Amino acid sequence: MEYLILFLPLFASIISGFFGKLIGDKISQILTSLFVSISAILSLVIFYKVVNEGYVNNLIIATWINSGSLNANWSINVDALSSVMLVVVTMISSLVHIYSIGYMSHDSHKPRFMSYLSLFTFAMLTLVTSDNFIQLFFGWEGVGLCSYFLIGFWFKKQSANAAAIKAFLVNRVGDFGFALGIFLIFYIFGTVNYNEVFQKIPEILDKELVFIGININAVDLICLLLFLGAMGKSAQIFLHTWLPDAMEGPTPVSALIHAATMVTAGVFLVVRCSPIYEYSELALSIITIVGMATAFFAASVALVQTDIKKIIAYSTCSQLGYMFFAAGVGAYNVAMFHLFTHAFFKALLFLGSGSVIHSFNDEQDINQMGGVWKKLPYTYALMIIGTLALTGFPFLSGFYSKDAIIEFAFLRGNNLGLYASSIGVFTALLTSIYSWRLIFKTFHGSYNNSKIKIDTVHESPMVMLVPLIILALGAIFAGILFKDLFIGQETSYEFWSSSIKFLAPLSKDHPPIWFMFLTPVLVIISIPLAFYLFIKNKKIVHSIVNSNKPLYLFLKNKWYFDELYDYIFVKPSKKIGYFFWKKIDVSIIDKFGPDGISELIKYFSLKAVKFQSGYIYQYAFVMLIGFSILLTLLLLK
Amino acid sequence: MNFPILSSLILLPTIGALFIFFVRSSSEKYQASKYLSLFISIANFILSIYLWYIFDKNSVEFQFVENREWLLGFVDYKVGIDGISILFIILTTFITPICIISVNATIKKRLKDFLIAILLMETFMIGVFCSLDLIVFYLFFEAGLIPMFLIIGIWGGERRVYSAFKFFLYTLLGSVLMLIAIISIYWITGTTDVEKLYEIGIDSNYQNLLWLAFFSSFAVKTPMWPVHTWLPDAHVEAPTAGSVLLAAILLKMAGYGFIRFSLGLFPLASDYFVPLIYFLSLVAIIYTSLVALMQEDMKKLIAYSSVAHMGFVTLGIFTMTQQGIEGSIFQMISHGLVSAALFLCVGVVYERHHTRIINKYGGLVQIMPKYAIVFMVFTLGAIGLPGTSGFVGEFLILMGTFKKSFLVATIASLGVILGAAYMLWLYKRIIFGEIINNEIKSMIDLKKFEILILFSLVIPIIFFGFYPEPLINSIEVSVGNLLDIYNTNIQTNLAYKN
């Protein structure tokens, strides 16, 4: 069964990729969707078995790299953590596959697109089911590659190509840290297998290393290096710049890869390595700080963006920040819970926005929309559900997971936890404002698009709406149904025992009543507030913007990260490269090396040629001089 | 075991070359000579695979050893192989037929002579990888220069003469020192037999100088910074098949030499010069990657990337760890396949559009989709993506390096980021985007024989990415043995000093 889950998507991808022309668009679409759906159903079965029977399994498929003491296998490892990921990945993936049948109906490269989607699913599955760090790395780079293909899917667009390369390279920066982390793990533990590494942790707690001149604890260093990889993949602040640009890809891709699955791989990594992270106070603190910084930063940027997909992308960034600071305060299970619920409502929002974009003939600017809620009733209702769930409206899925994160941060008791929880509350407010801004500007107010007549705006076909409805059900009920399993005080420890390590059990207290009500109340208040600001009385927003122009531009330009990186990294690399080539290679090495030497030889041989003038008296003269010098020397001796 | 299988491997191509030489050069015989050389090279490939099959992977001894008296008992003709050399022999016999098929499109004049040059090249290269005598090694090593010199000089581009001489002078200057060192070894120990030398060892007082002499030759051939500037020129001017041979096999002779001779014969000196190698390798990795980023000529870009990749190889060899050395050998094989493939890819578009300037292309995916796919696979192989052979080598090398020095491994890992940058940028500029240049529109997708050769390279690149076991298995024992000799030497020397 595990084999089927893993390899069905791969087969689907190969068939659709290589024989797409042969079998036609329709069959390749149905085939890939069907195979991935079967994989999803089987994943649910596995998940059921894990929950009810405590099923764990570690299948070894084959040896991969075996060099000296290094041994890495191709494996399928099933435990609580990977079964959750299996469900998330295959469920969302199959829905996205089906949705894409409708969304890509006007595209001429359907088999290729489906093939990439299935290939991505396969890579993501190898990532989550690995039992060692090297296969994890394989999946890690594999999903990055598929993301590269899919972002650049519309290869004629220069911006799409640039975004694809940017995504790959920024991720490579993260992977650089990740790879060093793996090297260090192998150096210290002599193995790359999870279980063996986790068992040996207590033996090396006090080991100190010198890394680039700094004395540091080995466990801390491992954790930080791995986290660098997680930051890249999960678009955390400083390495986030690729995610908004990645929206150049088709919208189903954004939903699958850049919201529900791939970008959560970083969170997965930290949770998977919880047996290591539990011993590193330093790394956990840094994760908390990075997480909350990202949550706040991305939410602030999302407030002023006008591209519907970029707003949701920043929102994803921000929610990933939440997951990280949950992990940072030691509540790994809560992080996983948020990952789980987030997958549903964020995929719903993306696919919903895709439906809007589809209706508007590829318009993405929310200033060019408005007043169409009657035209798109289903999409509108589904987007509302997604937004309610995202903002944490009571009793929808986001409410359980996000509030739990804020509460656990609060209960952590130290200063950092307090900061994190207050930033969490504030960010929740921002989240609510920008989300409702998006809804109101898209669906309410007056119709603002001069290019497309309002009558031509149409609802999407059923093949796109059905997956949305299923996701909406998830967005509504995933929280309430699974909260006991994931974060319940008694039940969850048993469920997670096979994969997460808690050094000390999480606090069982409840925060004060006022604190528990704070976030939901803010979230509810913000709905009429947003309606008033963005629909009823737009002048207020305009006057705020006008009186704070620098702040507005700062946010609008995403805190100038892109410009900064261009200035620090991209331009200098090109300049240095050019300098090395033209100045050192050509002007120094070649000039003084081969060219110089051959010039020199030519010069001397020309001189030597002059000796052979052919005149006897000259030869005689030289002989005479030579003879007299020799004679003088002999006499002097 | 009486059948001289190694000598057959070495001589078969030469015999083929002789046959072709005597074929009269009327136009239909041209085809005949091509098929003859193809037949010979494929037969040689099959023979080498058979050799691999009967080769005992668990033995530390050299196998299939042939020892014949030669030059009045002063030098013996001695050949033999271990797990390391066999892989390079197979790489050679595998790449040669591919070169011969590729000739179809690229060589317009004096085809017969060209085929002779390639077959002779094969003889010399196989000879290098199985010599067990320093003099024999030197002869093969240097003889390989001549056909390559002719290939660049006769069938090359506009600046072919300059490049050919640059190539020849650079490599010859380095090798002269090696010859002197070999003669000195004979005077010091009384033999040039590699097996015997492994046994008796060389006096530690001489090792450093001798090591430097060998190094000067290998460093040029590798090529290491700062003696790398001949490579881009040679590649740019060489015809496609020449570039393929040069990148895939000629460069590997140096890496092989480092392992077999520098490490094997002069362990103490190798240990002593580790910082030098690390430094030069790191410069090669970072510096040439940055230079590659700025290239406007496809072949130059790939040539510079070869220097960076070989930087990883030298780095790995001198980590003296199992992972590092195995990674280096793996990287050499993988780079042999990937760089050969990349040069063939450049050849494909050059033959159609007659320029290698990157900016003249763009949007090729719309008219050459098959080409776009295979080029993508090779690009990923060059980047070292997991699932391609490039990953296994690079990862093992870095893992081995990390054991020795965190700093060096960290800097070298930066090269991996740069590698992705220049390759993906190259790919984007050639393959993606709109077609700006109208002349491109008339280009046709891959022809049948191009599909054949390119796919025969795709398969091993992906296969060994997922299942590197056959290769690693074959070198495991030999590398272990080499490291044992190395470690005993270091330890006895330490004990002696104390």
Side-chain angles (χ1 to χ4, degrees):
Chain A
M1 189 147 72
E2 283 90 343
Y3 285 105
L4 281 179
I5 294 177
L6 193 62
F7 289 111
L8 276 177
L10 179 65
F11 286 138
S13 166
I14 290 173
I15 294 172
S16 163
F18 286 103
F19 308 105
K21 276 214 181 105
L22 208 70
I23 58 176
D25 291 354
K26 263 265 125 39
I27 297 181
S28 65
Q29 283 172 333
I30 292 171
L31 187 107
T32 46
S33 307
L34 184 72
F35 276 25
V36 176
S37 304
I38 295 173
S39 175
I41 292 164
L42 294 176
S43 302
L44 282 172
V45 175
I46 293 268
F47 182 62
Y48 181 82
K49 270 165 79 178
V50 172
V51 172
N52 288 318
E53 302 162 19
Y55 175 79
V56 284
N57 197 357
N58 189 359
L59 292 166
I60 307 256
I61 302 171
T63 317
W64 182 19
I65 300 178
N66 186 3
S67 165
S69 52
L70 172 69
N71 193 339
N73 292 317
W74 293 110
S75 59
I76 307 181
N77 181 35
V78 177
D79 62 358
L81 184 57
S82 52
S83 71
V84 170
M85 290 305 284
L86 279 179
V87 170
V88 170
V89 173
T90 54
M91 281 277 286
I92 307 289
S93 175
S94 55
L95 294 174
V96 167
H97 270 81
I98 296 167
Y99 177 92
S100 303
I101 298 177
Y103 191 85
M104 301 300 280
S105 57
H106 304 304
D107 200 278
S108 52
H109 296 280
K110 294 178 199 110
R112 186 163 66 94
F113 183 75
M114 300 312 274
S115 169
Y116 288 161
L117 280 185
S118 300
L119 186 66
F120 167 79
T121 312
F122 168 71
M124 191 70 202
L125 291 175
T126 56
L127 190 161
V128 299
T129 59
S130 168
D131 75 348
N132 63 69
F133 283 98
I134 299 192
Q135 186 188 331
L136 178 71
F137 194 70
F138 168 83
W140 194 265
E141 294 263 297
V143 291
L145 174 70
C146 296
S147 156
Y148 165 81
F149 284 148
L150 284 164
I151 297 170
F153 183 75
W154 287 313
F155 48 75
K156 287 186 188 174
K157 267 166 76 181
Q158 283 298 337
S159 54
N161 292 323
I165 292 187
K166 186 174 175 184
F168 198 91
L169 289 184
V170 175
N171 269 300
R172 272 260 152 151
V173 175
D175 295 349
F176 156 76
F178 189 15
L180 287 179
I182 297 175
F183 301 150
L184 185 59
I185 286 172
F186 179 66
Y187 172 73
I188 297 216
F189 299 97
T191 172
V192 288
N193 186 287
Y194 292 151
N195 285 333
E196 290 167 23
V197 169
F198 296 159
Q199 272 165 13
K200 286 187 189 166
I201 285 279
E203 298 165 20
I204 61 122
L205 285 180
D206 300 323
K207 196 167 172 116
E208 294 279 327
L209 293 170
V210 182
F211 185 73
I212 321 180
I214 307 163
N215 264 319
I216 187 166
N217 180 277
V219 179
D220 285 343
L221 186 58
I222 291 176
C223 291
L224 291 176
L225 288 172
L226 292 181
F227 182 58
L228 190 59
M231 281 174 73
K233 196 108 286 182
S234 294
Q236 293 299 289
I237 192 162
F238 301 120
L239 294 180
H240 67 279
T241 53
W242 64 273
L243 185 61
D245 288 24
M247 297 301 127
E248 290 287 344
T251 308
V253 174
S254 313
L256 176 62
I257 300 184
H258 306 122
T261 54
M262 183 184 87
V263 289
T264 61
V267 182
F268 169 80
L269 173 69
V270 172
V271 176
R272 173 55 87 201
C273 296
S274 61
I276 313 179
Y277 277 97
E278 274 297 89
Y279 292 100
S280 173
E281 198 61 39
L282 176 70
L284 285 180
S285 308
I286 288 177
I287 292 177
T288 314
I289 293 168
V290 168
M292 72 191 187
T294 311
F296 171 72
F297 151 77
S300 74
V301 174
L303 279 177
V304 299
Q305 299 302 312
T306 54
D307 183 316
I308 185 168
K309 285 181 73 183
K310 287 207 171 154
I311 297 173
I312 308 180
Y314 275 107
S315 160
T316 306
C317 220
S318 171
Q319 299 303 310
L320 289 165
Y322 272 106
M323 294 175 209
F324 273 112
F325 83 64
V329 298
Y332 304 101
N333 53 344
V334 185
M336 282 310 290
F337 189 41
H338 197 51
L339 188 160
F340 183 70
T341 58
H342 175 259
F344 289 103
F345 58 70
K346 194 47 71 62
L348 173 62
L349 280 174
F350 260 122
L351 294 183
S353 74
S355 178
V356 173
I357 295 168
H358 194 70
S359 313
F360 273 94
N361 287 337
D362 299 334
E363 179 57 61
Q364 301 199 2
D365 188 342
I366 53 172
N367 286 330
Q368 302 288 317
M369 301 173 181
V372 291
W373 65 277
K374 278 185 186 155
K375 281 276 173 190
L376 308 169
Y378 296 111
T379 308
Y380 173 64
L382 292 164
M383 287 286 278
I384 294 272
I385 293 174
T387 304
L388 288 172
L390 164 68
T391 54
F393 194 82
F395 312 118
L396 269 70
S397 60
F399 168 71
Y400 294 101
S401 54
K402 194 193 285 181
D403 279 18
I405 291 176
I406 296 171
E407 281 166 25
F408 274 109
F410 184 82
L411 290 173
R412 181 76 174 178
N414 54 12
N415 283 339
L416 194 59
L418 229 51
Y419 287 133
S421 64
S422 44
I423 296 232
V425 172
F426 184 61
T427 305
L429 178 66
L430 293 183
T431 309
S432 186
I433 293 177
Y434 70 69
S435 305
W436 287 107
R437 169 175 175 262
L438 186 151
I439 292 287
F440 292 138
K441 291 198 99 161
T442 311
F443 292 104
H444 291 268
S446 54
Y447 185 74
N448 296 320
N449 197 320
S450 48
K451 278 179 274 173
I452 307 163
K453 285 197 181 130
I454 188 161
D455 299 329
T456 58
V457 174
H458 54 279
E459 185 60 276
S460 299
M462 276 324 263
V463 71
M464 287 167 70
L465 288 177
V466 170
L468 286 180
I469 292 167
I470 298 174
L471 285 172
L473 292 176
I476 299 170
F477 297 112
I480 196 159
L481 288 180
F482 290 99
K483 82 175 187 320
D484 286 337
L485 179 70
F486 278 76
I487 58 171
Q489 282 181 353
E490 305 302 326
T491 39
S492 69
Y493 288 109
E494 197 189 318
F495 174 64
W496 291 116
S497 62
S498 60
S499 24
I500 297 181
K501 182 172 174 100
F502 295 99
L503 216 49
L506 292 172
S507 168
K508 287 183 182 167
D509 298 338
H510 285 287
I513 295 288
W514 66 266
F515 188 80
M516 291 178 70
F517 277 99
L518 183 60
T519 326
V521 167
L522 282 177
V523 164
I524 294 168
I525 291 176
S526 66
I527 305 175
L529 182 72
F531 190 70
Y532 183 74
L533 284 178
F534 297 112
I535 298 296
K536 280 287 166 207
N537 201 341
K538 293 182 188 169
K539 279 176 201 156
I540 300 181
V541 178
H542 281 294
S543 65
I544 294 175
V545 166
N546 286 331
S547 55
N548 295 300
K549 209 71 188 180
L551 179 67
Y552 174 74
L553 284 177
F554 182 65
L555 293 179
K556 183 87 187 163
N557 288 301
K558 310 141 195 170
W559 294 29
Y560 294 104
F561 268 109
D562 283 332
E563 289 76 6
L564 192 69
Y565 286 173
D566 198 46
Y567 190 72
I568 304 179
F569 298 115
V570 181
K571 282 186 185 147
S573 313
K574 288 187 178 176
K575 269 193 194 145
I576 294 171
Y578 196 77
F579 172 80
F580 280 163
W581 175 30
K582 286 291 181 194
K583 296 292 171 203
I584 298 193
D585 262 22
V586 177
S587 302
I588 297 181
I589 296 180
D590 271 359
K591 200 167 170 194
F592 293 102
D595 294 356
I597 291 170
S598 58
E599 281 299 314
L600 213 64
I601 290 172
K602 211 162 142 193
Y603 176 79
F604 278 115
S605 56
L606 277 177
K607 293 277 167 198
V609 162
K610 289 195 177 145
F611 272 110
Q612 296 155 29
S613 56
Y615 297 111
I616 300 224
Y617 69 89
Q618 279 184 0
Y619 292 168
F621 182 64
V622 172
M623 271 172 74
L624 192 69
I625 290 175
F627 186 68
S628 42
I629 290 173
L630 261 173
L631 208 64
T632 327
L633 280 174
L634 279 173
L635 286 173
L636 281 177
K637 251 187 178 174
Chain B
M1 217 306 294
N2 290 321
F3 179 68
I5 186 163
L6 289 180
S7 295
S8 324
L9 267 176
I10 296 174
L11 286 177
L12 196 59
T14 308
I15 296 168
L18 277 176
F19 262 108
I20 295 170
F21 183 72
F22 289 113
V23 172
R24 275 218 241 113
S25 53
S26 66
S27 59
E28 65 194 86
K29 296 280 170 61
Y30 253 58
Q31 288 300 321
S33 59
K34 219 187 84 185
Y35 287 121
L36 180 65
S37 54
L38 189 60
F39 174 76
I40 294 273
S41 59
I42 289 177
N44 224 21
F45 175 60
I46 293 168
L47 189 62
S48 65
I49 291 288
Y50 172 71
L51 181 69
W52 197 23
Y53 174 71
I54 55 173
F55 175 82
D56 178 9
K57 295 180 182 67
N58 297 316
S59 159
V60 295
E61 301 290 319
F62 284 98
Q63 299 174 40
F64 309 104
V65 175
E66 294 167 36
N67 201 347
R68 277 163 231 276
E69 212 166 271
W70 186 49
L71 292 189
L72 306 166
F74 157 65
V75 179
D76 289 346
Y77 165 81
K78 186 172 177 188
V79 290
I81 54 167
D82 65 353
I84 301 171
S85 20
I86 179 112
L87 292 187
F88 289 98
I89 292 173
I90 293 174
L91 180 68
T92 310
T93 56
F94 177 66
I95 294 290
T96 309
I98 287 178
C99 282
I100 291 173
I101 301 175
S102 82
V103 157
N104 227 355
T106 47
I107 302 300
K108 301 274 190 288
K109 56 171 188 185
R110 305 178 68 176
L111 179 75
K112 212 178 77 171
D113 302 342
F114 190 80
L115 292 170
I116 293 174
I118 287 190
L119 285 175
L120 285 178
M121 220 30 222
E122 186 179 10
T123 287
F124 299 140
M125 288 180 300
I126 296 175
V128 164
F129 295 128
C130 36
S131 324
L132 281 185
D133 186 283
L134 289 174
I135 300 282
V136 178
F137 170 78
Y138 181 79
L139 288 177
F140 280 127
F141 194 77
E142 290 309 294
L145 275 181
I146 300 161
M148 200 62 215
F149 174 73
L150 295 176
I151 286 174
I152 298 174
I154 297 175
W155 293 275
E158 276 165 26
R159 294 176 72 225
R160 57 179 180 263
V161 177
Y162 169 77
S163 299
F165 273 99
K166 200 171 177 183
F167 163 75
F168 198 81
L169 287 179
Y170 247 129
T171 41
L172 194 70
L173 275 177
S175 306
V176 167
L177 290 174
M178 183 165 76
L179 180 64
I180 297 170
I182 291 174
I183 295 168
S184 324
I185 289 176
Y186 183 77
W187 289 122
I188 296 165
T189 60
T191 180
T192 51
D193 181 330
V194 176
E195 256 184 311
K196 267 188 209 154
L197 285 170
Y198 274 1
E199 241 167 67
I200 54 178
I202 293 171
D203 192 331
S204 57
N205 294 327
Y206 300 112
Q207 283 201 12
N208 284 1
L209 269 180
L210 293 173
W211 188 93
L212 279 174
F214 273 76
F215 170 77
S216 68
S217 171
F218 296 150
V220 170
K221 271 259 166 68
T222 307
M224 295 176 83
W225 188 85
V227 285
H228 64 283
T229 57
W230 63 270
L231 187 72
D233 281 318
H235 270 309
V236 167
E237 299 307 325
T240 303
S243 283
V244 171
L245 280 183
L246 186 59
I249 306 163
L250 230 64
L251 303 188
K252 309 303 176 290
M253 303 199 309
Y256 175 79
F258 273 128
I259 296 175
R260 175 75 72 232
F261 302 110
S262 299
L263 222 58
L265 294 180
F266 323 116
L268 300 176
S270 296
D271 185 49
Y272 180 79
F273 285 112
V274 160
L276 174 73
I277 294 274
Y278 280 1
F279 174 73
L280 292 182
S281 305
L282 286 183
V283 173
I285 292 169
I286 302 297
Y287 174 107
T288 49
S289 296
L290 286 169
V291 175
L293 202 57
M294 294 315 293
Q295 294 307 309
E296 290 138 12
D297 181 312
M298 294 184 214
K299 264 194 164 179
K300 265 201 172 165
L301 193 153
I302 300 167
Y304 273 111
S305 88
S306 288
V307 180
H309 279 117
M310 292 307 286
F312 278 104
V313 170
T314 45
L315 186 63
I317 292 171
F318 285 87
T319 60
M320 330 284 187
T321 57
Q322 188 94 18
Q323 284 86 24
I325 297 181
E326 285 181 10
S328 288
I329 295 168
F330 202 95
Q331 170 88 338
M332 280 195 264
I333 302 291
S334 160
H335 179 254
L337 300 169
V338 173
S339 64
L342 285 172
F343 281 118
L344 286 168
C345 278
V346 175
V348 166
V349 287
Y350 182 74
E351 187 249 328
R352 286 163 174 69
H353 195 40
H354 303 291
T355 178
R356 286 182 308 262
I357 303 301
I358 297 169
N359 290 340
K360 305 259 170 164
Y361 293 92
L364 282 188
V365 64
Q366 298 166 50
I367 40 174
M368 301 174 73
K370 286 178 202 153
Y371 179 72
I373 295 172
V374 288
F375 197 6
M376 187 38 118
V377 174
F378 303 138
T379 302
L380 297 176
I383 289 173
L385 198 89
T388 64
S389 58
F391 169 73
V392 182
E394 228 166 59
F395 204 74
L396 285 176
I397 289 170
L398 289 172
M399 213 159 219
T401 312
F402 200 86
K403 274 189 184 170
K404 293 287 161 156
S405 162
F406 293 175
L407 184 64
V408 173
T410 307
I411 297 173
S413 302
L414 286 174
V416 178
I417 303 176
L418 292 172
Y422 62 72
M423 280 316 291
L424 287 182
W425 200 32
L426 169 75
Y427 189 82
K428 180 201 129 186
R429 285 181 290 170
I430 296 178
I431 302 290
F432 289 146
E434 293 279 4
I435 299 178
I436 347 159
N437 191 337
N438 273 327
E439 291 167 41
I440 288 182
K441 282 186 181 154
S442 59
M443 287 168 71
I444 42 168
D445 208 350
L446 296 181
K447 297 170 195 159
K448 279 214 177 87
F449 81 93
E450 288 165 337
I451 293 179
L452 174 73
I453 50 177
L454 290 175
F455 266 90
S456 57
L457 286 164
V458 165
I459 291 164
I461 287 171
I462 292 183
F463 179 79
F464 291 125
F466 280 91
Y467 194 64
E469 222 16 44
L471 300 188
I472 295 181
N473 216 348
S474 153
I475 54 181
E476 184 112 46
V477 174
S478 300
V479 171
N481 181 43
L482 199 71
L483 278 174
D484 283 345
I485 297 176
Y486 171 78
N487 287 327
T488 1
N489 262 294
I490 299 287
Q491 264 147 28
T492 38
N493 188 51
L494 268 182
Y496 175 73
K497 268 186 186 163
N498 294 336

